[in-house]
Amino acid sequence: MKSKTRVFVLLLFLLDIYRLSFVAKTRLSDGLGEMALCYWKALLLLLLLSCLFSVSYSSLGDADPNYRACVGECEISGCVGQLCFPQCNSSSNTGPWYTQEPLCLQWQKWGCQGDCRYHCMVNRERERETLGQPPLKYHGKWPFKRLLGIQEPASVAFSVLNLAMHFHGWISFFITLYYKLPLREDKTAYYEYVGLWHIYGFLSMNSWFWSAVFHTRDVDITERLDYSSAIAVIGFSLIVSILRTFDVRVEAARVMVSAPVLAFVTTHILYINFYKLDYGWNMIVCVAMGVAQLLLWARWAAVSRHPSNWKLWVVVIATGLAMLLEIYEFPPYKGYFDAHSIWHAATVPLTVLWWSFIRDDAEFRTSSLLKKYKTKTK
């Protein structure tokens, strides 16, 4: 499927959602329908604009004749200069399990091709640095320095921090709902969006877990799991942003809004896993869904009177600026800190603030509902 065909299919999909939004306008409340129409218009325009930008993932480094010659020679001789790799000429892990090295030591080692590519890249980049030439990408990645067998140490560290912050935020949200706020007679929370935020928390923790694994060891399976889990949480975040900012509480309306997004996200995950892992197309989809939900939250913050609006504004603006790191990347500083790792670092404090807003929203909605119930009982 070519790029233009994919864009055309996406536009047809969005037009169909636009039609469903029109149905929502006539069959549900007028306010919800108008907001849905405005939302899909904005998303359609955003995706049209995003298609004008191309994302290049070609690697000049692995096309370098000197680098290719080094790798080819290494795979035959098993050496790069004076450094030799036993795994290129023998296999130390094919015997019985009790004769093999522990898994923790095996994990720190790479295969013959991986070690040859890495050390040839290091040598070639050292030569380029002496000539005053900028770093190049090799096989789609910048020249990172390994640490204890970890391919991208900074990204791994920040991914683990994000995972910890999401876990802490979800636990604090759970405690706030069921131990600090009043509950209904059936011991359920008054807050209408509790289930959505629980799912969001699990998807977020799953996404950052696979991010840490992928940046530790970039192989086909870890790459696909990382990309799929990231798309899943971005897509579900878009659903949550629609339902919360439009205050959709009717179950039928929630299904009508969520179904097209879930269908698109599922189709995209199947596409990149079983048809073609297209990095440029995946970037367009992720950026489009990310920007769409930021616009929704920004509009809601502008018109609502939520007591924690300032937290929402900080998250929206800071996340929007941090997203530029995903689009305009640069080589890793000292071999560790590239734009992607800094993006991971920026999301750590934003995650803390975001879960703080979610807790505040639960308290605000619970307080509002209790006041309404007390008014009705009088």
Side-chain angles (χ1 to χ4, degrees):
M1 186 182 292
K2 296 182 179 179
S3 178
K4 291 182 179 179
T5 307
R6 291 197 301 268
V7 173
F8 180 70
V9 171
L10 179 57
L11 293 180
L12 289 178
F13 170 76
L14 289 174
L15 288 174
D16 189 56
I17 296 177
Y18 183 86
R19 179 182 61 81
L20 290 175
S21 298
F22 182 77
V23 173
K25 176 184 177 182
T26 56
R27 295 187 180 179
L28 302 175
S29 64
D30 290 340
L32 174 62
E34 290 292 347
M35 289 183 181
L37 286 173
C38 292
Y39 161 69
W40 292 116
K41 286 178 182 177
L43 181 56
L44 181 61
L45 177 61
L46 175 66
L47 286 172
L48 284 171
L49 292 175
S50 67
C51 292
L52 299 177
F53 299 94
S54 60
V55 183
S56 175
Y57 284 87
S58 59
S59 302
L60 297 176
D62 46 271
D64 185 341
N66 294 334
Y67 169 78
R68 295 172 68 90
C70 174
V71 173
E73 182 180 348
C74 173
E75 290 179 346
I76 297 173
S77 65
C79 298
V80 176
Q82 301 298 319
L83 185 63
C84 296
F85 315 110
Q87 61 268 32
C88 288
N89 300 315
S90 63
S91 178
S92 59
N93 288 306
T94 57
W97 63 269
Y98 52 82
T99 65
Q100 300 178 15
E101 291 182 320
L103 288 176
C104 59
L105 295 180
Q106 292 182 33
W107 181 257
Q108 297 180 21
K109 294 184 178 181
W110 293 71
C112 177
Q113 185 185 65
D115 277 331
C116 286
R117 285 181 174 183
Y118 175 73
H119 290 284
C120 285
M121 175 195 72
V122 171
N123 289 350
R124 185 65 185 129
E125 282 301 305
R126 193 178 294 122
E127 294 172 359
R128 291 180 58 85
E129 186 178 2
T130 58
L131 296 173
Q133 298 175 347
L136 295 178
K137 280 188 173 183
Y138 295 81
H139 305 284
K141 284 188 171 292
W142 290 111
F144 290 96
K145 292 181 180 179
R146 294 180 187 172
L147 181 64
L148 299 176
I150 298 174
Q151 191 170 0
E152 301 176 38
S155 291
V156 172
F158 294 134
S159 294
V160 172
L161 277 176
N162 274 287
L163 171 60
M165 292 303 101
H166 273 287
F167 179 73
H168 176 270
W170 174 73
I171 288 294
S172 62
F173 174 67
F174 183 89
I175 293 173
T176 299
L177 278 175
Y178 297 105
Y179 293 95
K180 294 183 178 181
L181 295 177
L183 300 173
R184 300 177 188 269
E185 294 181 356
D186 57 357
K187 301 301 181 181
T188 59
Y190 283 94
Y191 188 49
E192 309 99 319
Y193 305 95
V194 54
L196 293 172
W197 288 121
H198 282 323
I199 298 173
Y200 167 78
F202 285 122
L203 288 176
S204 297
M205 288 184 281
N206 175 72
S207 176
W208 286 112
F209 170 79
W210 288 116
S211 174
V213 173
F214 168 64
H215 290 299
T216 299
R217 180 64 66 91
D218 178 4
V219 294
D220 185 66
I221 183 64
T222 59
E223 181 180 45
R224 294 179 187 276
L225 286 168
D226 175 47
Y227 281 34
S228 299
S229 58
I231 295 163
V233 72
I234 294 173
F236 190 79
S237 298
L238 177 59
I239 292 174
V240 174
S241 65
I242 298 171
L243 299 182
R244 182 63 188 97
T245 59
F246 292 162
D247 198 20
V248 183
R249 284 172 281 178
V250 180
E251 196 65 29
R254 288 188 173 188
V255 173
M256 183 176 290
V257 172
S258 303
V261 182
L262 286 175
F264 174 72
V265 171
T266 303
T267 303
H268 181 70
I269 292 175
L270 293 174
Y271 174 79
I272 65 172
N273 279 282
F274 300 105
Y275 184 73
K276 180 183 179 182
L277 182 51
D278 190 324
Y279 299 99
W281 174 245
N282 184 68
M283 175 67 76
I284 290 174
V285 171
C286 291
V287 170
M289 291 194 296
V291 173
Q293 56 192 282
L294 289 181
L295 293 175
L296 285 171
W297 285 116
R299 182 193 177 280
W300 186 70
V303 300
S304 69
R305 296 182 179 179
H306 200 284
S308 297
N309 264 353
W310 70 270
K311 295 181 181 180
L312 189 56
W313 275 118
V314 172
V315 171
V316 168
I317 295 173
T319 303
L321 294 175
M323 282 179 65
L324 297 176
L325 294 169
E326 287 289 90
I327 302 174
Y328 302 102
E329 56 183 359
F330 52 82
Y333 177 72
K334 299 295 184 181
Y336 296 109
F337 301 96
D338 68 328
H340 188 69
S341 66
I342 296 176
W343 151 257
H344 285 345
T347 55
V348 173
L350 293 178
T351 298
V352 176
L353 192 61
W354 179 239
W355 277 105
S356 175
F357 167 77
I358 295 172
R359 292 194 302 272
D360 292 348
D361 187 50
E363 295 174 359
F364 174 68
R365 286 297 304 163
T366 301
S367 176
S368 300
L369 290 172
L370 287 174
K371 288 179 181 179
K372 289 182 180 180
Y373 289 150
K374 289 179 180 179
T375 303
K376 289 182 180 180
T377 56
K378 288 182 179 180

